[in-house]
Amino acid sequence: MSKIMLEVNGLTTKYITRYNESVYAVNDVSFQVEEGKSVGIAGESGCGKSTLALSLMGYYFPPLHYTKGDIIIDGRNISGMDPDDVRKNILGTEIAYIPQAAMNALNPTRKVIRFIEDVIWAHDPKISKKDIHDLARERFETLNLPEDTLNKYPVELSGGMKQRTVISISTILSPKVLIADEPSSALDVTSQKMVIKMIHDLMELGYIKSMIFITHELPLLYNVTDDIMVMYAGQIVERGSADQMIFDPIHPYSKGLMGSILVPEDGTRDVKITAIPGTPPNLKKPPDGCRFAERCQYVKSQCRVQNMELAGLGNGRTSRCMMSEEELREAYKNE
């Protein structure tokens, strides 16, 4: 049995507005990531993907606040830990984060090697500058990044180089879990390919043990991740293998999400693009029942009052829907 590298149980986090209103952007989320595996998270803007990523690190800045749940990394529960302990002993070594706006994450007036020194000294202030530079050179060479990148300023790097440099800095301490929040966004296709290859290399070389990859580009997840989770209104509504989720989604929201994009493997001729009607619910006052009910064409009366839990469908996949898999497949067949 594979080792569980990240286990999340009932995680709930919220934003508190200036009017003291609670917005539950992540609500009762549970999942596991095994060692050597990568899991993708997909969903429309505002569904809670990036908030989940920030929440998983156990380091909260207002207006984001921890409410309840467990975040267990390699058997260690980091929920409720002192922020200073999390910053010193967890971030960078146990779990690392590549921010959504990674290309703007570096101070343009400091050389790349200075950032690496800061990261390493924050965890081990006794390590020598020479040892840091040796480690940085070795890591950059292994990942096919020119050594002279270390002595350059971020403004001297192209977008793709800057993104790959940020990834290298984020993983310099070989974290057990890497969270990549849209690491290939705003890049051209060639640069995207180089970033994806670099992340694959980090996994294969053992510099990272497991990964969560967040993106709007669902077809990209097919080539990057083993499993895909779909989020909607702060909850996980379906999880399955990349093949299952891209080519055979079950939950009505997952089905609608896939129907709104082109999948290159399917070709583009005679492909009908559909849109999901309506808008997501207000998370200040989420509905009592299914959060997708108002936008779902298969909605039943009980969907509006009863909130379905994630249920196993077999073959390692789960779905949060009142209708059975057989009922949904029959409904899709009659469309």
Side-chain angles (χ1 to χ4, degrees):
M1 182 177 178
S2 299
K3 183 178 182 180
I4 303 299
M5 195 54 61
L6 173 66
E7 182 177 354
V8 181
N9 297 316
L11 181 62
T12 299
T13 61
K14 64 182 180 180
Y15 291 104
I16 298 180
T17 71
R18 59 179 177 172
Y19 302 110
N20 204 33
E21 299 169 309
S22 294
V23 180
Y24 289 92
V26 173
N27 191 281
D28 196 26
V29 169
S30 300
F31 65 93
Q32 295 179 340
V33 183
E34 296 178 356
E35 183 175 7
K37 298 294 185 180
S38 56
V39 174
I41 301 180
E44 61 193 308
S45 295
C47 70
K49 303 186 301 297
S50 293
T51 301
L52 175 59
L54 293 171
S55 301
L56 290 176
M57 294 187 294
Y59 195 60
Y60 301 95
F61 291 97
L64 180 61
H65 296 265
Y66 168 81
T67 301
K68 64 177 182 178
D70 297 317
I71 305 164
I72 304 169
I73 302 173
D74 195 19
R76 182 179 185 181
N77 195 335
I78 68 170
S79 305
M81 283 183 63
D82 181 81
D84 288 337
D85 288 342
V86 173
R87 181 179 56 80
K88 184 176 181 180
N89 301 312
I90 302 299
L91 300 183
T93 55
E94 301 294 305
I95 190 166
Y97 176 63
I98 302 171
Q100 192 168 28
M103 287 194 293
N104 299 318
L106 301 177
N107 184 331
T109 66
R110 303 191 74 203
K111 291 183 178 180
V112 170
I113 190 63
R114 300 284 92 83
F115 295 104
I116 296 174
E117 289 172 348
D118 288 347
V119 169
I120 295 178
W121 278 332
H123 294 271
D124 186 1
K126 295 182 180 179
I127 191 169
S128 70
K129 182 176 289 191
K130 180 182 181 302
D131 287 342
I132 292 175
H133 288 212
D134 289 344
L135 171 63
R137 275 193 295 270
E138 179 184 350
R139 181 64 62 86
F140 272 50
E141 288 174 1
T142 302
L143 297 173
N144 296 313
L145 282 166
E147 182 183 333
D148 64 359
T149 305
L150 292 168
N151 291 308
K152 288 186 175 181
Y153 293 94
V155 293
E156 298 179 87
L157 304 177
S158 67
M161 279 293 295
K162 197 180 297 183
Q163 187 78 299
R164 292 162 64 203
T165 298
V166 169
I167 294 172
S168 298
I169 295 171
S170 298
T171 59
I172 196 69
L173 295 172
S174 301
K176 295 172 181 175
V177 181
L178 174 67
I179 302 173
D181 193 354
E182 301 203 43
S184 60
S185 62
L187 296 178
D188 59 78
V189 175
T190 302
S191 296
Q192 280 188 349
K193 184 176 180 180
M194 295 177 73
V195 166
I196 298 306
K197 182 183 183 305
M198 182 178 186
I199 292 176
H200 272 298
D201 289 345
L202 286 165
M203 291 280 290
E204 290 179 2
L205 292 167
Y207 291 140
I208 56 176
K209 302 297 184 183
S210 59
M211 179 178 66
I212 294 173
F213 193 102
I214 299 171
T215 182
H216 286 94
E217 302 175 65
L218 270 167
L220 179 62
L221 291 178
Y222 180 72
N223 297 303
V224 178
T225 62
D226 301 296
D227 285 4
I228 297 174
M229 299 190 298
V230 172
M231 281 194 77
Y232 180 76
Q235 296 180 327
I236 304 296
V237 296
E238 186 174 1
R239 176 175 178 169
S241 70
D243 275 318
Q244 291 169 336
M245 298 301 295
I246 296 296
F247 300 113
D248 186 33
I250 294 297
H251 191 279
Y253 176 68
S254 303
K255 187 80 172 177
L257 201 62
M258 282 305 305
S260 65
I261 63 172
L262 287 172
V263 179
E265 287 80 1
D266 288 344
T268 57
R269 288 187 177 182
D270 303 321
V271 176
K272 183 181 179 181
I273 301 297
T274 57
I276 301 174
T279 58
N282 183 348
L283 294 184
K284 293 178 184 178
K285 296 180 180 179
D288 294 329
C290 174
R291 297 187 175 192
F292 188 61
E294 294 302 320
R295 305 175 71 184
C296 182
Q297 59 181 311
Y298 312 107
V299 63
K300 297 180 177 181
S301 57
Q302 63 262 42
C303 297
R304 302 182 190 278
V305 295
Q306 182 178 346
N307 184 20
M308 181 69 180
E309 300 295 325
L310 273 173
L313 301 179
N315 296 321
R317 71 190 305 180
T318 55
S319 177
R320 187 190 297 269
C321 187
M322 199 69 62
M323 295 178 69
S324 68
E325 180 179 354
E326 292 73 21
E327 288 177 309
L328 287 169
R329 289 194 183 280
E330 188 64 30
Y332 299 153
K333 189 186 302 181
N334 295 330
E335 288 183 344

